[in-house]
Structure formats: C-alpha cells, structure tokens
Amino acid sequence: MCTFQIFDDLEQRCSSSILVGLSQQQPVGIGKEKEQHHSSMYHPVTVAVHTLEQEAAKEDEAGDDDSSITITPTSTEPADKIDRAYDATTLKGKPNGLFPRQIRTALILLGLFTDKNIYKEWLTVFYAVNSELETKLKSTDFEKSLGKDKDELMILEKLQQLGEKYYFAELYERDLQLLYGVSSRDELLKRVGSCLVDKPNGRKYQEVVKNMTTASDLAGALFCLWGVFIVGGGSMARQRALKMCGEGGVNVYQNVAGPGREKRKQHFIELWDGLAEAVDSTSTNMKQFTAVEQSSDLCMKLMNATIKDLIVVVALVAVAGQPNSSCMDGSVSVSSEDDGKNDVNDVYASRMDDQNHEDKEYIKVVQEALTFASRLKDNPHQFVITDTDDEGNNNIPVIDLSLNDEAVAQDIFDAATKWGFFQITNHGLDQHLIDEMFDVNRRFMALDDTTKTMYKFDRKAICGYEKATQVHPSSGIPDMKENFLMAARKDAMNDFWPTEVMPDFEVKSKQFIEKCHEVGIRVLHLLELKLGMVQGQITEYNTLWDDESKCVLRLLHYPATDHVIGSEDLDQNQWRSAPHTDFALLTLLFQKFGEEGLQCARRHHSKDVTESHPLGWQPVPAVDGAITVNIGDMLQRWSSDKLISNLHRVVMPMGEDATKSRYSMAFFLQPDDSTVIESEKYETVTALQMIQGRVRAYWPTADKE
Ligand SMILES: O=C(O)CCC(=O)C(=O)O
Ligand SMILES: [Fe+2]
C-alpha cells in the first residue's frame, strides 16, 4: 500500500507557507509562543512557515545587504577544475541537493525554530561536532602530525585564519549554558553527553571529525559546519532563534549575521578556492583537493543523518511522552542505510493505544513527518493520485446557485469545510463573457516576449506580466507558466494596460472583473451566514478600484512542450503550478474543458490519515458552465480554521497532453488593505500584512534586476 502521498503532502504543507498548523488542533499563530498543552515536552506541530515568510519579508524590509542565502555555484565548470574549488565542492553535492533541503525543511516543520527543546538539541549536536573540529584546528600536536607536507600546512593555516574570525565553539557554549540553565562548562559537557546518547549519527559524525588526520579532511568538515552559517542563512536563523531564546541565546550567530553577508560569503568562497592553489610547481594539491571534496561529501551525509536523528527523537518523544525513556534504550537504530523507521513504527504502534485522543492526533502528525523524512530520497511523485477515496465520493461538489439561499449556503459551507474547493453553476456570469475573456488571455499570451515584457510585473503594484518568476516554496523553482496580473486598485493599472497592442483589453477585463466580483461577493455572503457572522462583516471591505482595493484578476498560460513526453523526461520537482494555497479570501477559477491538471489535496478535518486512507490529490476538473471556487488563507484565518484553504497544484502534463497549452483565469477576492482580520484563534492582522509577506516570498526576485 502506497502511503507516498502522506509525505508528499506533508512536504508541500511544510513549505506551502500557509501551513495550517500540521494538525487542526494546533493553530499557527504569527509570532506566538506556543502553549504547552501536551504531556510531551515537544510541540512540533506548531510550526509556521507562514511566520518564517513574514520574518523573511521583514528582514527584506530591514535592508540586509544581500537577500540571497542559497549556496549557488558561481560557475558551471566541471568539478575537477581545481581553480574553482568552491564550485567544485558545491557542485559535487548538487545531485543530492533535494534531499538535504527537504530534510532540513522537515526539521523546521517539526519545530526547530518554534520549540526551544528541539533547537537546544540541534545546537547541542552541532556544537559537539564543531568542538571536535575546532580543537583539532587549534592543536599543536595536530599541526606537528602533518610533518612537512606543504599543502597540508597551507590548508591548515588558511583554516586557522578563517577561524580567527569565526571560531564558533565558545559562542555555542554560551547559548547552550543559557538553554540548559547551567553555569559551568563541566555541567554543560555532561548535558551534551546525555543529549548525544540517542543520536547515533551525531556521535558518528563527532567521531569521524575527531579521527581526522589531515587538514584537507578538516577542511571538508569545516565547509559543512561553517558554510551553513557563513554562506547560508545566519541572519535568518538568528532572527528566529532570538524570538525563542532572547539576546543571551543567539551568540553563535554573532559573527555571521547582520550587514556584510555578501562580503562574508565572497571571502569564504575565495578562501575556499585558495585551498586548491598550488604551493609550488611540485605540489600535489590536486590530490589534496580531491580529499577536501570527499570529506565534505561525507560530512554532508553525516550531517543529514544527524538531522534524521533529531527527527526520530522528536517523534519518539511524542510517542513516549518524554526523552530517554525505555523506547530509546538502543531499540532505535539510525544509520544512513536504515532510517530507523521500522523501529519507530513499532514503538508508534505499541504506544498508540495508550494515548488520549489529542496525543494521537499529535503522534500521527509526527509519524507523518517521520515517514516523510525517511522516504524523501525517493522524490515526491507528482503524478500519483490515489484511487482510495475517503468517503466514496470522488468529486469536488458542484453546487447550483439557482437553488434557494439556505440550501446553497449549506452546500457551500460543507464543501468549504471539507475540501476548500467547490464548483458553482448558474452563477450568473454569462458564458459569452467568460469565452471572450479567455480569448483576451489567448491573444495576449500569443504576443511576442518583447511586447509582453513592456508590461513587466511589478511586485509592489501586483500588476503586469511575468514569465517563470513565481517560485512557490514547495518546489523552490519557478513554475512553468506565464501570467498577467491586474490589480483592481485606483490608478494601479495605468502603466500596465496593454492598450497599444490590444485596444479592447482594458474594457473587457474591467467588465469581467466587475462580474467576478459580484459572484464572489454572493458566495461570501452565503458563507457569512453559515459562519454566524453579521451580514457584511467580510464583504463590506471588498471594494473595486478604490485606493485600497486589492482584488486581482490573473490570466494564466501554461505553455505546451513541442513534443510528447514521458515521466522519465520530467524533473519531478517541476510544476505548472507548484503546490500552494491562495492567500485571498476566495478564488474564482476559470478552467477550460480538456486543459486539465488542477488538483487539490485530499485532506479532511475529520479523517485520520492511515494506510487505507492516505492523503492524496484530487483532480479538480473543468466542469461545463461552472466556476471553480476555492477558499484562501485569509478566509481560513477569518473563520478560525473552519473553512479550509486547501493546497492545490497544477501538474505537468505527460504524453500527448504535453503538447497542449493550458489557459486559466483566476479572480482573487481580497479585502482592502486596512481590513482587520480578527479570529478566535489568531492574532489580529490587517489584510495588507498578510499579503505583503506572501508576495515577497513568492516572487523572490521580481523587483531585483
Ligand atoms: O491555473 C490553475 O488552475 C491554478 C491557478 C492557481 O492556483 C493560482 O493562480 O493561484
Ligand atoms: Fe492557486
């Protein structure tokens, strides 16, 4: 039985930015400290990638000098070209790139930055390994053991120079003393020792570094342990850690956060490239460099395995209620070959019976995460749709709006709470107008790129044309699509209407927007009714063409490929639209029959995810005469999670379908900027606050030239 969709979905949930809280009973609050409801000390379910995005956006605003935090190879030269040592090292790790990224995401998902205990354990294991590394770098005995090997000595010297700037171990210690609440180093080392008891891979990593005999090997270890901080997101991690630990607990980021990130990165890269420079003509530094490469490769693997340890421990703690309990006494083996999944599953099964309901939910979530983590290597299979249906009903509800309001409201509410998706017919929007708008879409997209880019997308205005620049966090790469956005705000479109090339564009679009708005408001009215709200509570703040209006019409085109393709030709991480949730209140989506590919997650409040009820993906077909409607994040929040803003995606077409384009149009009903979104569950935010973070996160490069 395939449970693949569980982690497929989980992955997308964890990176899908709305992240509704992994389980419904644990709300995701923006910047809120978690409350301790459970007997267990960990609360991994309260993770808000959403929050992280907002923080990233804030950081963006704060104007750090460089927003690129990924390790990007600086050239594409072959890995054996020694004068680009840094590239060679990073490129070598690239084929495995997806896995490390996902496993880190899994850890964040489990609470790395929202649960102090998980953070503490994470810091502890990396401290332990790092401290072995730094001890060696500073050891005169080690230096002596290198004898007269010039290359080795040169490498050691360079690492030591870097160390003078960065050495982390002491800083780690200060943070850990605070986190463990101990005042002496001896006491701290004891704690570190007990923390490592249930981290077999962490211990192995530590051991490997401890036994390194060459400077090139140490260089590999340093590359992994320090590169993450120096080149990677030190600033970002600091911000998150600061929230949990306060100023006294973020010493470790002291030298790697704040302005100057780009310089630090360059310096690190240069130093790295310098390691491969010949000391003299007789030098064998090529050999040395290969050793550095191999060592970083090994250390990267050990680091991932160490993260797996942490994930397993988090899961076990959730199962057993406390760390170091009987289920951890060696019954869990975690190695690179075996993820320890079976052992954990056994423990999971045996403990499941003892737990109260709330804990079961919680355990289930952790179990999903664990399964997810253990199978990440397989790559999410975007084309699998489970044929197991949750309730014998395979279709997204189709609701006839011409029936009486009460009945319609009930059907809409049911669909919105169960699927977050439904299709409406007899909605009052003339098919002729829809066809006309599709025609506008097709004609615009058929223009050449130079013409289209005259109306280039602007992320502040949320207007204009963009091609392959939207990156959903769930894939990390641009969607394969082009689209044109129209913000229905006063004067917003002045520079964007493509009137010169399509004189009818503005009039037709405005007319269409008007009609969509009417339909959207009607649906919202019915939902207000069912949510027990005062009529108008939500709808009142949805103006068109005012200063603060925020509704958007988006014309989408997913280009065809020029040949028939099979799954083996496809990058599994490539999507027409990667899994995401919409951030609006409501989306009205217009699809064309025969141009399929939209799917939403099968995810119910009420259903347990089990082997026989795996989470899966549900096709959302184009239904004759119907508009597809889905709930967005704002409405989910406003309704205190009663209505679901469900994940959805548009898959890459295969076979003959690959030669077909898909055109669709989405109208996003979004409340005016200053609208206050209040709910029983979440902090009050304004619509603008919600939107800003998302737009920045989704178009990371859109307004950078
Ligand atoms: O083209 C589609 O069907 C989906 C579009 C979508 O999900 C979006 O634009 O948010
Ligand atoms: Fe969407």
Side-chain angles (χ1 to χ4, degrees), residues 421 470 472 479 481 483 485 554 556-558 576-578 580-583 587 589-591 595-599 620 628 630 648-650 662-668 698:
F421 268 80
Q470 181 171 19
H472 283 115
D479 287 347
K481 70 181 180 208
N483 62 116
L485 284 110
R554 173 187 231 177
L556 290 136
H557 174 223
Y558 305 90
R576 279 186 154 175
S577 180
H580 67 280
T581 56
D582 292 347
F583 42 89
T587 305
L589 184 77
F590 299 83
Q591 313 188 64
E595 299 178 10
E596 309 290 338
L598 178 66
Q599 300 171 350
V620 186
T628 305
N630 62 287
H648 53 285
R649 61 189 192 179
V650 182
R662 170 180 165 92
Y663 291 89
S664 67
M665 305 185 294
F667 177 74
F668 302 103
Y698 279 15

Side-chain angles (χ1 to χ4, degrees), residues 15-17 49-58 473 693-694 697-698:
S15 37
S16 85
S17 62
V49 175
H50 187 106
T51 311
L52 302 188
E53 281 178 356
Q54 290 226 340
E55 283 164 13
K58 261 190 238 145
R694 294 292 290 272
Y698 279 15

Side-chain angles (χ1 to χ4, degrees), residues 538-551:
I538 297 177
T539 47
E540 190 185 324
Y541 307 102
N542 283 273
T543 60
L544 281 182
W545 307 113
D546 274 350
D547 288 334
E548 284 205 1
S549 304
K550 260 293 182 319
C551 292

Side-chain angles (χ1 to χ4, degrees), residues 505-520:
F505 194 106
E506 178 177 349
V507 172
K508 292 214 163 106
S509 302
K510 280 184 164 164
Q511 186 183 24
F512 192 69
I513 287 172
E514 201 81 37
K515 294 287 176 200
C516 288
H517 186 254
E518 262 172 41
V519 176

Side-chain angles (χ1 to χ4, degrees), residues 31 46 54 78 105 131 224 267-268 283 285 322 339 453 478 596:
T46 312
Q54 290 226 340
T105 313
S131 124
C224 297
H267 178 230
F268 186 76
S283 163
N285 67 336
Q322 53 173 323
D339 297 306
T453 36
E596 309 290 338

